[in-house]
C-alpha cells in the first residue's frame, strides 16, 4: 500500500483470524469479504467457447498436440529469437498480474479485499506465479505466497529471494480448514501446475493444496491452464478446479474450450508476428499498450 495516503480512519483495527501454523514471515490476515469480478472486463463468452478457439488455432493446428505446439513455440523464442528463460517468465508473470488488476481493479476493492494468496508449484508455472506475486505487490495489492515444494532451480531461488526482499510473506503450510482461507484472502492465484505436468509429479503437498483450492468460495485465477486439467482434452475439468479467471500464456491451450469462468485473458503480446504466423495463431488485438487481451 502507498504510505502517502496514510491510514484510513474509517477502518479501525479489529480482531483478525489467524491461520493455524507458523508463517515464515508473519503477516496480519484480515477478515475480509469476497473480491468481486469487475463488471467492466470483457467476459470469455464474447466469441463462444469452441468458435474462438478455432479462430486462434487454424483447423489443422487444433487437431495437433497443443502441448507439443506450446513447447515448440517456446523453443522458437529461446533458440531462434534468443529470449532468455527468465525473460519469458518475467513477461508472463507481469502480464498475469496485469490480468488480475483488470478482473479485480484496485479502486473497486476495499482494503480488506486486496489480499491475494498465490499458490506456486515447483515447475515453470510456479516461477510465473512468483513473478506475478511480486508485480501484484508493486501494483499495491497484498500478496502472500504458498510454495510447498520448492525447486532447487536457480531461477526459482532468485525469484523467491526477490519476493522475500520485498517482504512478501510465505505461508509455511496451507490450512485444510477452507473457511480460514476464505476469510483471510480476497482471491487466490493458481500457479501450481502447467501444461503436461500431472499432480503426481510434484508431490503430496501440491496435491493436497489443489484439493483445498477446489473447495474455496473466493475467486480463483488460474495461470495458463487450471492445475490438474489435461491441456488437450480438459479432462478433470468437471471434478477439478473451476477458476473464475483464466490467463492463457502466449496462446490459449486446447483445454481452454472447456473453461466456463467469467474472464479469459491471453498474455502473448511478446510473441513476434513471424512466430504467430509460423504456428498459425490468430490472437485477438491488444489495445493501446496493454500486454493482455480479453477473449
Amino acid at each position: 500500500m502507498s504510505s502517502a495516503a496514510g491510514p484510513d480512519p474509517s477502518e479501525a483495527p479489529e480482531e483478525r483470524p489467524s491461520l493455524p501454523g507458523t508463517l515464515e514471515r508473519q503477516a496480519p490476515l484480515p477478515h475480509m469479504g469476497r473480491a468481486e469480478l469487475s463488471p467492466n472486463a470483457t467476459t470469455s463468452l464474447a466469441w463462444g467457447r469452441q468458435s474462438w478457439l478455432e479462430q486462434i488455432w487454424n483447423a489443422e493446428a487444433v487437431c495437433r498436440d497443443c502441448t507439443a505446439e506450446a513447447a515448440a513455440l517456446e523453443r522458437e523464442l529461446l533458440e531462434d529469437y534468443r529470449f532468455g528463460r527468465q525473460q519469458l517468465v518475467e513477461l508472463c508473470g507481469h502480464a498475469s498480474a496485469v490480468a488480475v488488476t483488470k478482473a479485480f481493479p484496485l479502486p473497486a476493492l476495499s482494503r480488506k479485499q486486496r489480499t491475494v494468496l498465490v499458490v506456486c508449484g515447483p515447475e515453470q508455472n510456479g516461477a510465473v506465479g512468483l513473478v506475478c506475486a511480486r508485480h501484484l505487490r508493486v501494483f499495491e495489492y497484498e500478496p502472500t505466497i504458498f510454495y510447498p515444494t520448492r525447486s532447487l532451480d536457480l531461477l526459482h531461488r532468485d525469484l523467491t529471494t526477490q519476493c522475500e526482499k520485498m517482504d512478501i510473506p510465505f505461508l509455511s503450510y496451507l490450512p485444510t480448514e477452507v473457511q480460514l482461507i476464505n476469510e483471510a484472502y480476497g482471491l487466490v492465484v493458481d500457479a501450481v501446475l502447467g501444461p503436461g505436468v500431472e499432480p503426481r509429479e510434484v508431490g503430496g503437498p501440491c496435491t493436497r493444496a489443489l484439493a483445498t483450492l477446489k473447495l474455496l468460495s473466493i475467486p480463483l485465477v488460474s495461470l495458463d491452464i487450471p492445475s490438474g486439467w489435461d491441456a488437450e482434452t480438459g479432462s478433470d475439468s468437471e471434478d477439478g478446479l473451476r477458476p473464475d479467471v483464466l490467463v492463457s500464456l502466449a496462446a490459449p491451450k486446447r483445454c481452454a474450450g472447456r473453461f466456463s469462468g467469467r474472464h479469459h485473458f491471453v498474455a502473448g503480446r511478446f510473441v513476434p508476428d513471424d512466430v504467430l504466423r509460423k504456428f498459425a495463431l490468430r490472437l485477438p488485438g491488444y489495445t493501446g499498450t496493454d500486454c493482455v487481451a480479453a477473449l
Side-chain angles (χ1 to χ4, degrees), residues 29-273:
L29 298 172
H31 180 91
M32 61 183 301
R34 175 188 176 100
E36 294 297 333
L37 290 160
S38 168
N40 297 320
T42 303
T43 72
S44 58
L45 297 174
W47 291 6
R49 295 297 174 197
Q50 294 301 329
S51 61
W52 64 253
L53 189 64
E54 291 167 1
Q55 290 179 51
I56 289 172
W57 296 90
N58 69 14
E60 181 186 358
V62 168
C63 294
R64 296 198 298 257
D65 180 346
C66 76
T67 302
E69 288 289 311
L73 190 152
E74 183 174 337
R75 282 196 304 273
E76 184 92 6
L77 295 176
L78 291 171
E79 297 173 7
D80 291 359
Y81 281 81
R82 309 307 298 168
F83 278 78
R85 180 168 166 248
Q86 182 167 356
Q87 181 184 9
L88 290 179
V89 168
E90 184 72 25
L91 287 166
C92 290
H94 171 260
S96 297
V98 169
V100 170
T101 70
K102 289 184 176 295
F104 307 96
L106 197 65
L109 302 178
S110 71
R111 291 180 65 186
K112 294 179 182 179
Q113 291 175 319
R114 297 174 183 180
T115 54
V116 182
L117 177 62
V118 183
V119 184
C120 298
E123 305 291 340
Q124 184 156 299
N125 245 33
V128 173
L130 292 170
V131 174
C132 176
R134 171 161 49 81
H135 284 288
L136 286 174
R137 168 56 63 86
V138 172
F139 296 154
E140 299 192 335
Y141 291 74
E142 298 178 12
T144 293
I145 297 170
F146 179 57
Y147 185 19
T149 306
R150 298 203 177 192
S151 172
L152 298 178
D153 179 76
L154 181 60
L155 174 58
H156 281 251
R157 294 191 331 222
D158 287 347
L159 296 175
T160 299
T161 297
Q162 291 166 15
C163 291
E164 290 173 341
K165 291 289 187 182
M166 292 183 68
D167 291 322
I168 299 174
F170 283 72
L171 284 175
S172 59
Y173 73 91
L174 193 67
T176 55
E177 191 173 342
V178 175
Q179 190 57 30
L180 286 175
I181 303 173
N182 289 334
E183 292 177 349
Y185 302 100
L187 60 119
V188 175
V189 173
D190 156 36
V192 184
L193 305 178
V197 182
E198 297 183 9
R200 58 181 174 80
E201 297 178 33
V202 295
C206 287
T207 302
R208 289 191 292 273
L210 291 179
T212 300
L213 296 188
K214 292 179 186 179
L215 304 176
L216 296 177
S217 61
I218 54 178
L220 180 67
V221 179
S222 286
L223 306 188
D224 211 11
I225 67 170
S227 291
W229 283 29
D230 184 282
E232 305 297 327
T233 65
S235 62
D236 203 28
S237 59
E238 296 300 323
D239 298 326
L241 298 183
R242 303 294 296 273
D244 301 273
V245 178
L246 177 62
V247 185
S248 293
L249 305 179
K253 311 308 178 281
R254 191 173 182 183
C255 67
R258 291 182 174 270
F259 171 67
S260 59
R262 286 187 57 188
H263 298 294
H264 186 186
F265 298 94
V266 59
R269 192 162 195 174
F270 58 87
V271 181
D273 289 343

